[in-house]
Amino acid sequence: MAETEDVLLEGELAVVDGVVDYKGQPVIRSKSGYWRSAWYIIGVEVAERVSYYGIQGNLISYLTGPLNQSTATAAENVNIWAGTASLLPLFGAFVADSLLGRYHTIILASLIYILGLGLLTLSAMLPSLTKSKCQVDSKFIFCSSQSQVILFFISLYLVAIGQGGHKPCVQAFGADQFDEKHPKELKARSSFFNWWFFTMVAGCTVTLAVLNYIQDNYSWVLGFGIPCVVMFTALLVFLLGTMTYRFNTQKQDKSPFCRIGRVFIAAVRNWRTVLSSTDIEEECDGILRRRSSEQFKFLNKALLTPKGAKEDETCSLSDVEEAKAILRLVPIWATTLVYGIVFAQVFTFFTKQGSSMERTIFPGFDIPPASLQSINGVAVVLFSPIYDRVFVPAARAITGKPSGITMLQRIGIGIFISIFTVASAAFIEIKRLKTAQEYGLVDDPNATIPMSIWWLIPQYFLFGFSEVFTLVGLQEFFYDQVPNELRSMGLALYLSIIGIGSFLSGFLISMIENITGKDGHESWFCDNINKARLDYFYWLLAGFSVVGFTFFIYFAKSYVYNHKSVTTQG
């Protein structure tokens, strides 16, 4: 017993390989990283998500209200902005992994973020935005000048740039605080992704309900200003944790992007060459590495060295395997894009549905339609601990896998649930339209349909339920399956699913708007939501989701996990 305690003590006092502290000195395990650092970073992420969703969550209401945009135009603008914000992490991850490192990228991105939020607040403060009126359909409403609209969108995209550098780096930096070579910390890292998502959503659920109410009923200035203050506080908290952080040291002199890119170039250059088995003989990690090499064999041609080539122009077997690891992610990434399309509806048409329904909780208090997005959070808050403490141990007892189920199985379950999310939304929309017809309210775009907004709870709750599986699974999958030096890029790839999904959603809306609105007909997304056909759109998304899920299952079955994940996932 005493001997075991000595071993554990020695492990806690050991120097962690491959990492240093903020001064560049070796770190002791018991004095750095692990949960003591992770909680600082989780707190920063909660604050950042409050700031981001504090803008995105009710953005369509601001665009169709003070900025006086049509429903379709506002939905397209929200999708384009959200898509851009979710694609910019690819650039932010490149900067972090190749140039600045995650820590310095987070600080720079935070400063840009704060600047964007500050200017956004300023755009809402300007006198002509809050006092000027213009005539629309014989009515006078508050409206904005062109210069203020320009300032608003510049500010909005500064927020997107800041988010692009902040989002992939913070989560990767948090996961870096756990040593994957230490059994206890490796197991804790898997829980880190669950608790990361849980605390983030729990914090957002409470604060966003308050923010949305302030924006709809009191002041957009205050509604935009609070996220700015929260983001500034997040930067201070992040800096306070500096002395506890672990910083990864660079293991390769060459850029990981250059090494992997050179593999593809060399494979194309040697594509006519016939490769024999003796050309790739090299010490491998047993059967797992050989099994991996069976996929994308054409990349093995990169191992052939041209005559007269310099040493830094050659590709090693490890370089080829890293390139294969990246290539294997492509079909998984592509088949989950449909989930990103469904995700985009939560912040656009789900909110517009609620805006036309009965929202009075008690006399004098109407719940903001965007506040129902907190139902997502409630589902996550309820199910995340159950997943981590009940589902995983039960599944582990059956499958023998440390995580209970594989990462791809987890992702697939969430995509399957999302099919029922849009189907539920379609059924509720059909009922809402029938209610409008029964009460003769179809021709009144501003009418409140005598149908409680709580009818929307199932679609919000189901999607939150799916997020626990798909979003957390995607985070862990893309962090784990990319080469160690590209983990920021891995998380950026996960975020790009949401980004491309938003762009695809915007493209679908624009295309359907043009097709169904021809010859003077009312389009599926006409400004009078009582004449729109959102139910048709939801059924279309349900069909896309079924097709996407089918392809996902096909590619997931043939996916080969990289070496470290095969040992942990099974």
Side-chain angles (χ1 to χ4, degrees):
M1 184 69 174
E3 183 178 340
T4 302
E5 290 177 353
D6 290 340
V7 172
L8 290 173
L9 183 61
E10 183 179 344
E12 292 302 312
L13 296 178
V15 174
V16 183
D17 293 334
V19 298
V20 295
D21 63 12
Y22 71 105
K23 293 182 179 179
Q25 301 298 316
V27 298
I28 304 298
R29 186 180 308 281
S30 61
K31 297 182 179 180
S32 68
Y34 199 49
W35 287 109
R36 69 181 59 81
S37 299
W39 285 118
Y40 277 106
I41 300 169
I42 287 174
V44 169
E45 176 65 6
V46 171
E48 187 275 332
R49 289 292 85 186
V50 167
S51 299
Y52 179 77
Y53 285 119
I55 304 302
Q56 185 190 18
N58 213 16
L59 184 57
I60 193 168
S61 296
Y62 188 77
L63 294 177
T64 56
L67 295 194
N68 194 35
Q69 293 186 348
S70 68
T71 299
T73 300
E76 289 174 25
N77 280 329
V78 172
N79 284 326
I80 291 171
W81 176 74
T84 302
S86 296
L87 285 179
L88 282 172
L90 292 170
F91 176 73
F94 174 81
V95 171
D97 289 341
S98 296
L99 301 173
L100 299 181
R102 289 164 195 153
Y103 177 81
H104 292 101
T105 302
I106 292 168
I107 294 175
L108 177 61
S110 297
L111 293 173
I112 296 174
Y113 215 136
I114 294 166
L115 174 63
L117 290 169
L119 290 176
L120 199 65
T121 306
L122 177 63
S123 73
M125 288 176 64
L126 294 177
S128 59
L129 184 62
T130 56
K131 294 181 180 179
S132 295
K133 291 185 177 181
C134 56
Q135 188 173 2
V136 177
D137 295 333
S138 73
K139 294 181 180 179
F140 285 91
I141 64 170
F142 292 113
C143 58
S144 57
S145 66
Q146 185 178 1
S147 60
Q148 289 165 332
V149 172
I150 293 173
L151 176 61
F152 172 80
F153 278 103
I154 289 174
S155 307
L156 200 62
Y157 279 89
L158 276 175
V159 171
I161 293 171
Q163 194 260 179
H166 196 279
K167 182 64 177 172
C169 297
V170 169
Q171 191 168 13
F173 192 61
D176 287 344
Q177 306 308 309
F178 299 87
D179 182 7
E180 63 184 16
K181 297 177 183 178
H182 189 274
K184 179 183 176 182
E185 294 198 15
L186 177 61
K187 185 177 179 181
R189 194 187 74 182
S190 182
S191 290
F192 165 77
F193 286 98
N194 290 327
W195 288 105
W196 170 279
F197 197 65
F198 169 81
T199 53
M200 177 188 74
V201 174
C204 289
T205 299
V206 176
T207 55
L208 290 186
V210 176
L211 267 180
N212 290 333
Y213 183 79
I214 290 173
Q215 291 167 347
D216 282 349
N217 295 279
Y218 287 97
S219 167
W220 285 100
V221 175
L222 188 59
F224 289 154
I226 291 174
C228 183
V229 174
V230 169
M231 194 61 213
F232 180 76
T233 305
L235 177 58
L236 295 181
V237 170
F238 180 74
L239 294 174
L240 283 175
T242 298
M243 290 187 289
T244 72
Y245 297 149
R246 295 174 183 173
F247 298 83
N248 287 334
T249 55
Q250 189 74 16
K251 297 182 180 179
Q252 300 274 357
D253 294 331
K254 304 173 187 175
S255 164
F257 296 99
C258 293
R259 293 200 318 271
I260 294 172
R262 188 168 55 245
V263 170
F264 289 101
I265 294 172
V268 171
R269 185 180 60 227
N270 299 328
W271 72 279
R272 292 179 179 271
T273 307
V274 177
L275 193 65
S276 66
S277 59
T278 57
D279 291 323
I280 57 172
E281 283 187 1
E282 198 174 309
E283 249 183 71
C284 300
D285 297 326
I287 191 169
L288 293 175
R289 178 61 68 85
R290 288 199 298 274
R291 181 187 174 195
S292 177
S293 295
E294 291 175 1
Q295 287 189 315
F296 310 119
K297 288 183 179 180
F298 68 93
L299 288 179
N300 291 339
K301 294 184 178 183
L303 294 169
L304 297 175
T305 305
K307 292 182 179 179
K310 299 178 182 179
E311 185 178 349
D312 61 358
E313 295 176 349
T314 61
C315 300
S316 67
L317 182 60
S318 61
D319 293 339
V320 173
E321 289 303 318
E322 286 183 347
K324 289 182 179 181
I326 297 297
L327 202 56
R328 282 197 296 271
L329 297 176
V330 173
I332 301 299
W333 178 87
T335 53
T336 52
L337 287 176
V338 68
Y339 187 85
I341 298 176
V342 176
F343 185 90
Q345 311 318 311
V346 176
F347 304 99
T348 52
F349 291 130
F350 280 19
T351 301
K352 288 302 292 182
Q353 273 182 288
S355 66
S356 67
M357 301 170 76
E358 178 58 55
R359 298 181 285 118
T360 302
I361 306 300
F362 51 81
F365 180 81
D366 290 349
I367 183 172
S371 293
L372 256 67
Q373 293 166 21
S374 62
I375 301 296
N376 282 26
V378 172
V380 172
V381 168
L382 288 176
F383 191 67
S384 288
I386 295 173
Y387 180 90
D388 196 61
R389 301 303 182 186
V390 178
F391 179 82
V392 170
R396 184 187 299 139
I398 297 171
T399 65
K401 295 179 173 64
S403 57
I405 56 177
T406 66
M407 291 177 281
L408 289 176
Q409 287 171 339
R410 181 174 188 172
I411 294 167
I413 292 172
I415 296 174
F416 182 71
I417 295 171
S418 73
I419 297 172
F420 294 94
T421 299
V422 283
S424 172
F427 280 122
I428 300 303
E429 179 62 10
I430 290 171
K431 178 173 177 56
R432 192 191 67 80
L433 292 175
K434 286 183 177 178
T435 303
Q437 290 176 348
E438 290 172 2
Y439 285 85
L441 301 174
V442 172
D443 294 323
D444 185 357
N446 299 315
T448 298
I449 307 302
M451 177 179 170
S452 175
I453 196 173
W454 301 122
W455 278 91
L456 299 181
I457 287 179
Q459 64 200 60
Y460 279 105
F461 190 87
L462 279 172
F463 195 74
F465 189 42
S466 75
E467 286 181 325
V468 174
F469 286 95
T470 297
L471 290 189
V472 180
L474 285 170
Q475 290 170 15
E476 186 174 4
F477 177 77
F478 281 101
Y479 177 86
D480 188 78
Q481 292 297 293
V482 298
N484 290 353
E485 296 167 279
L486 294 178
R487 282 176 164 172
S488 295
M489 183 59 70
L491 288 171
L493 285 172
Y494 141 70
L495 291 169
S496 72
I497 292 171
I498 306 300
I500 296 293
S502 293
F503 279 120
L504 290 175
S505 176
F507 171 75
L508 278 174
I509 291 169
S510 179
M511 183 176 66
I512 294 171
E513 172 85 359
N514 291 331
I515 293 174
T516 60
K518 284 183 177 179
D519 303 324
H521 293 97
E522 298 285 0
S523 78
W524 286 8
F525 312 112
C526 67
D527 291 339
N528 183 351
I529 195 172
N530 297 326
K531 291 184 177 181
R533 296 315 304 245
L534 295 183
D535 53 331
Y536 292 171
F537 183 60
Y538 290 147
W539 285 124
L540 181 65
L541 293 185
F544 285 153
S545 296
V546 170
V547 173
F549 177 69
T550 302
F551 278 105
F552 175 83
I553 294 297
Y554 174 79
F555 288 110
K557 282 184 175 180
S558 60
Y559 185 84
V560 179
Y561 287 93
N562 64 29
H563 177 64
K564 60 187 176 183
S565 291
V566 172
T567 58
T568 59
Q569 291 289 333

